[in-house]
Every structure is written in structure tokens, then in C-alpha cells.
Amino acid sequence: MKKIFGALAATAVLMTSAAWAEDIKIGLSVDQLFESRVAVNNGIKAEAGDRGYEVVEVVADGDAQQQNAQIQSLITQEVDAILVCAVDQNTIERALMAAKKAGIPVVAYDRDLPDSRVVQAFVGPDSIWDGRLAGEHTAEALKGVDGEIAIVELIGALNDQNGIDRSKGFREGIASLENVKLIEVPTDWDSARALSGTQNAFQANPDIKAVFAATDTHIPGVETVLADLGKIVPVGEDGHVVVTGVNGSNDGYQAVVKGVADGFVVMGTEATGRKAVALVADILDGKEVERTNVIPGDFYTGADAEANKAKIWGAK
């Protein structure tokens, strides 16, 4: 009789847990939609679906004030937790404080909010690592070059920790090179600015040896400049300009496969999204979680990119 009662009790617990899981509602506050963000969000939705969670998604379209209002709306809808990728590191803290007051845990993804008094955990790319991988490849490719080594760095947004950290990592990666002249081109993640900045850089410095793109979606612009100047030279041959980037988009993949770019760092977008939901689950379960969780990217070159196409989110 005790065994039967125990089995019934266990079944009841399982049924209660399942019902509880299905009642969980996650608010997903997104800064704006573009390829890599959609890829991460797809990972979030896949993991949430596996766990029986509902996802309520709102997109701010790059407007921090709109994101404030959207987070307030999620609070009103009584979501159980909020996943946020912030438009701006500082602007939305007021809305996040309201979430904390309502007892709603907040997890930041893809873009950290290191000064927030609310965010309990962050998951995103290991941007220093990613930038360093590109820098180390660049340094290895140019280690035998004599004289001044001019390198263009297409810098991402300076109010975005990912942009800041990719730059830091890249510079660490090329530290072994001597006589480097680093030509900084701020882009604010804008492809038009990246194109015009690259054109200006080559006009002023015709003997540029390498270009690093903080996002590989800027590499087509680099290709345009190199083609116009007659500088599309195969990897390993004299006159080749070393091109690397970070992201994992189809732009980056195509450039590497064609031989325009030497290599690119592919972010673990699905892993990031799934980890974000796992962190929410642990917090709701009363478990302690690490404050900072990073997913390092993988570097692929023309020698192995095509063979690893299934691992490259932008090539799928």
C-alpha cells in the first residue's frame, strides 16, 4: 500500500511541476532585430519551448525610451522573469528597478549591464576572447613583415560593451607585432560608415596590411574597397591584405569561403540563447547562478569554414 501511495505522490509531484513549468512566462525585451540577435532569440525560444515556457517578446527598434515603456508593460503583464538586451547600458535602469520592486528577476543577454543594481546574471559572447582570436591570426599572418605595419580597425559602437571588448581583445592579439600603426575607424555598427571609413583609411595609407572588422557584416564594404583598388589578392600571396572579423554572419562566411577574408570568429548564438533561459530557470528555482556567463566563439578560415558550415549560424 505504501508503494502505491509513493507512486501516486511522485506522479502528483511530476504533474504539479509540469503545470508550473507551463505557467512560466518570460518577458523578452530586445533592443533591435538583426541577423545575430534573431539567431540568439531563436535559441531563447527553442529552450523556452523545450521547458514549456511562454515567451512574450517586445522589440524597441533601437529606442531606449521605448524599451523603458515596453519593460513596464511586461511588468504589468506579470511575467515571471525578464530577459533583456539593452539599447543603452544606462537608460533602462529605471524600468529594471520597477521589475525588481515587483519581484521579477532580470537576466541580461548578449549585452551586459555591469553597473546595474538589478541584473542578477548576464550571458553573452566572450568578446575579449573573440577579438583576441582575430588579432592572433592577424599577428601570425604578418609576423614576417618588416617596417611599419598599418592595420585598420573598424570599431563597433563605443557605448556597447561587445564593441569595447572586441577592440580590447584584438589589440591584445596583435601585441606581439612590432611597429604597428593602428588606424581606428569608428563605425557605430553602421555599414555605410565602415565603407567610407575604410575608403578614407586606404586613401591616406595605401600600404595597409590588414583590416579587422568588429562585425563581419562590414567585410563586404572592405571587399568593395579592395576590389576598387585592385587589392584582391589570394591569401598567402604578396600584396594580400589580411581581413578578419567577428560575428558568424553569412557575409563573413561567404567572404572567408571566397578567400576575401582570412578568417572569422563565429559566436555561439544558440548556446547563448539557451543559457539565458537556463539561468532564468535556475533563478526561479531558487538556485544561485554565476553573475557573468560567457560563450567563447570559434575561429574558422578558408581551410575549414565550409566543412563546419553546420556550426556557423549565418551559413545555415
Side-chain angles (χ1 to χ4, degrees):
M1 189 69 177
K2 288 181 180 180
K3 289 184 179 180
I4 295 173
F5 177 80
L8 288 172
T11 302
V13 169
L14 287 172
M15 289 177 66
T16 302
S17 299
W20 178 80
E22 289 172 3
D23 288 341
I24 295 297
K25 183 162 57 176
I26 298 176
L28 178 59
S29 178
V30 187
D31 56 345
Q32 54 189 320
L33 295 177
F34 46 85
E35 279 186 305
S36 60
R37 184 75 73 250
V38 170
V40 175
N41 290 352
N42 286 344
I44 288 172
K45 293 169 186 175
E47 183 66 22
D50 290 347
R51 293 174 181 264
Y53 295 174
E54 178 186 353
V55 175
V56 180
E57 181 177 6
V58 290
V59 182
D61 294 323
D63 185 330
Q65 294 305 324
Q66 180 169 314
Q67 189 166 40
N68 262 314
Q70 289 174 338
I71 291 172
Q72 294 285 357
S73 174
L74 291 173
I75 296 169
T76 301
Q77 294 177 62
E78 298 183 340
V79 297
D80 295 282
I82 293 175
L83 285 172
V84 61
C85 184
V87 172
D88 179 78
Q89 291 194 29
N90 303 309
T91 308
I92 67 165
E93 184 70 3
R94 177 166 47 87
L96 298 184
M97 288 296 291
K100 181 178 181 180
K101 187 176 180 180
I104 301 171
V106 177
V107 171
Y109 76 97
D110 199 64
R111 184 173 292 151
D112 198 3
L113 299 170
D115 299 324
S116 174
R117 292 171 291 171
V118 178
V119 171
Q120 292 178 239
F122 160 74
V123 59
D126 188 343
S127 292
I128 294 177
W129 166 274
D130 294 348
R132 190 185 297 122
L133 286 180
E136 289 174 348
H137 182 88
T138 299
E140 179 65 23
L142 298 176
K143 65 181 180 181
V145 176
D146 295 323
E148 183 179 79
I149 302 175
I151 299 175
V152 173
E153 182 187 358
L154 300 177
I155 302 172
L158 295 176
N159 67 341
D160 181 342
Q161 198 63 43
N162 287 331
I164 294 167
D165 286 348
R166 288 178 192 178
S167 178
K168 179 181 179 181
F170 178 74
R171 295 176 190 213
E172 289 178 0
I174 61 172
S176 62
L177 292 175
E178 297 181 359
N179 302 318
V180 170
K181 176 183 179 180
L182 196 60
I183 304 164
E184 299 178 0
V185 178
T187 70
D188 199 32
W189 303 124
D190 183 80
S191 293
R193 289 185 64 181
L195 173 60
S196 62
T198 304
Q199 289 171 328
N200 294 337
F202 272 92
Q203 186 174 14
N205 306 270
D207 197 30
I208 288 168
K209 302 297 185 186
V211 178
F212 167 65
T215 171
D216 58 30
T217 56
H218 292 168
I219 291 180
V222 175
E223 180 179 2
T224 296
V225 174
L226 294 178
D228 289 345
L229 296 173
K231 289 180 174 287
I232 299 288
V233 178
V235 175
E237 294 188 12
D238 289 342
H240 171 71
V241 176
V242 177
V243 178
T244 58
V246 176
N247 202 352
S249 73
N250 191 52
D251 287 330
Y253 174 73
Q254 294 298 335
V256 169
V257 170
K258 287 191 298 183
V260 172
D262 295 57
F264 68 155
V265 181
V266 177
M267 299 186 302
T269 52
E270 182 176 356
T272 298
R274 287 186 176 275
K275 179 64 175 179
V277 176
L279 286 168
V280 165
D282 284 345
I283 291 170
L284 292 176
D285 221 17
K287 298 177 182 177
E288 289 190 13
V289 297
E290 292 289 336
R291 169 59 180 79
T292 302
N293 305 266
V294 290
I295 311 293
D298 295 305
F299 192 85
Y300 296 106
T301 69
D304 59 5
E306 196 165 7
N308 288 282
K309 186 175 182 179
K311 301 177 183 178
I312 300 170
W313 63 264
K316 295 178 181 178

